[in-house]
C-alpha cells in the first residue's frame, strides 16, 4: 500500500489560511500506516507534505515515491486545502506559496496533481480530494441550515483570481460548469485510471469543522475505515466507502455538501482493510 498526502492549512498569503487541512493529511497517513501485514499488505509506505512543504516543486518530486510501487499494489493519493477554478478555466490546488493573482505560474493545476497517478505501475488507484470544486464561489458562503452552523468554507473568498493571463479583470471561467456534476473536465487523453472521490459537487463548497477538527469529507473517510464494512467481510470496498462518506457529509453539512465519485476505471475493485 502506498499513501501520498498533501495538506495545506498555512499559506504565505495569510488570508488563505485554514485550520485543519494539514491535520487531515497527517491523520489519514496514520490510519493508512496501520494497514500492515496483519491487514493483508506486505508493507504500508506513506509520505505526507504539509503547509510550507506543499509546493509545485515538491508535488513534481513526489512522483518518485509512487514510481516504486508495483502492479499489484494499491495507491491512495490525497489532497486537502483550497481548490479553485481560474479565469483560464483550469482547476488549481492552492499550494503554500501560491499567489491567487498568478495561479498559472504559482499554484498546482489539476493536470500536475493528476499526473502523479499517470504512468505508474499499480492498476488500483484511489484519489481523495478534500477541496472545493466551486471556483465561482468567491463571496459569502451559501445559506446553511441549523445543522451546518459552525462550518468553515474551504474556498478562496473575496480575493481577486487570475488564471492564464495575470492581467485581466475578467471573472473566472464557467467552462464546464453545467456540463458535469464536477468542475474538473474529464479529458479522456489524460485519464489516470483512478477512482476519484471528491468532497463536493461542482456547484458546492467544502467545509471544515472545529468540533471534528477536520474537513467534513476527511472526517467521514476516517470514520468509514472503521465503520463502513456493511457486508462484514473485514474490508471497506469503494462502494461502501462512497455510501458512508456521502451520507455522513450530507448529514453533517445539512445537505450543503455532497461528495461525488468519478469512476474512470469501473473494472478495478479497490478494498481497504477495516481497522
Amino acid at each position: 500500500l502506498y499513501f501520498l498526502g498533501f495538506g495545506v492549512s498555512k499559506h504565505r498569503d495569510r488570508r488563505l489560511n485554514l485550520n485543519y487541512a494539514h491535520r487531515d493529511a497527517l491523520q489519514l497517513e496514520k490510519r493508512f500506516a496501520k494497514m500492515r501485514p496483519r491487514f493483508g499488505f506486505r508493507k504500508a509506505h506513506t509520505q505526507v507534505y504539509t503547509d510550507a512543504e506543499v509546493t509545485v516543486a515538491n508535488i513534481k518530486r513526489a512522483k518518485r515515491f509512487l514510481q516504486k510501487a508495483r502492479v499489484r499494489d494499491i495507491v491512495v493519493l490525497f489532497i486537502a486545502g483550497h481548490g479553485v477554478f481560474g479565469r483560464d478555466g483550469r482547476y488549481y490546488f492552492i499550494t503554500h506559496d501560491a499567489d491567487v493573482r498568478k495561479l498559472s505560474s504559482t499554484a498546482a493545476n489539476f493536470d500536475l496533481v493528476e499526473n502523479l497517478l499517470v504512468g505508474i505501475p499499480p492498476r488500483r488507484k484511489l484519489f481523495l480530494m478534500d477541496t472545493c470544486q466551486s471556483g465561482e464561489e468567491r463571496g459569502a458562503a451559501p445559506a446553511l441550515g441549523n445543522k451546518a452552523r459552525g462550518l468553515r468554507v474551504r474556498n478562496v473568498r473575496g480575493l481577486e483570481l487570475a488564471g492564464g493571463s495575470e492581467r485581466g479583470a475578467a471573472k473566472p471561467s464557467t467552462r464546464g460548469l453545467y456540463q458535469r456534476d464536477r468542475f474538473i473536465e474529464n479529458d479522456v487523453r489524460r485519464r489516470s485510471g483512478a477512482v476519484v472521490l471528491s468532497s463536493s459537487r461542482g456547484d458546492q463548497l467544502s467545509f471544515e469543522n472545529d468540533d471534528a477538527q477536520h474537513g467534513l469529507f476527511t472526517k467521514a473517510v476516517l470514520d468509514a475505515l472503521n465503520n463502513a464494512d456493511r457486508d462484514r467481510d473485514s474490508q471497506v470496498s469503494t462502494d461502501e466507502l462512497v455510501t458512508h462518506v456521502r451520507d455522513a457529509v450530507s448529514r453533517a453539512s445539512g445537505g450543503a455538501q455532497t461528495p461525488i465519485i468519478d469512476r474512470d476505471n469501473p473494472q478495478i475493485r479497490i478494498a481497504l482493510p477495516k481497522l
Side-chain angles (χ1 to χ4, degrees), residues 213-269:
Q213 295 188 338
H214 279 298
L216 294 186
F217 173 81
T218 299
K219 179 62 165 60
V221 171
L222 289 166
D223 290 344
L225 294 175
N226 287 331
N227 303 311
D229 179 22
R230 296 191 174 192
D231 59 8
R232 300 184 180 179
D233 65 351
S234 298
Q235 294 183 320
V236 177
S237 69
T238 305
D239 290 339
E240 289 171 327
L241 176 69
V242 170
T243 299
H244 184 97
V245 170
R246 183 179 292 157
D247 291 348
V249 171
S250 180
R251 184 168 57 251
S253 66
Q257 180 181 339
T258 307
I260 294 294
I261 188 169
D262 178 10
R263 286 186 177 277
D264 280 355
N265 193 340
Q267 305 302 319
I268 298 297
R269 180 181 185 272

Side-chain angles (χ1 to χ4, degrees), residues 129-202:
M129 302 175 60
D130 198 345
T131 59
C132 279
Q133 303 295 298
S134 45
E136 290 299 307
E137 298 287 351
R138 292 192 295 156
L144 302 174
N146 291 334
K147 292 182 180 180
R149 287 178 179 173
L151 302 184
R152 183 176 294 101
V153 180
R154 282 189 172 176
N155 80 323
V156 180
R157 292 171 292 175
L159 300 180
E160 182 182 358
L161 298 177
S165 169
E166 324 306 356
R167 299 175 301 168
K171 63 185 296 187
S173 170
T174 57
R175 187 181 65 186
L177 175 58
Y178 301 108
Q179 297 174 8
R180 293 181 51 82
D181 286 337
R182 293 172 52 214
F183 266 46
I184 302 171
E185 289 187 20
N186 221 343
D187 188 338
V188 177
R189 292 171 297 177
R190 60 169 173 73
R191 275 185 168 173
S192 64
V195 174
V196 182
L197 181 56
S198 54
S199 60
S200 60
R201 293 200 318 256

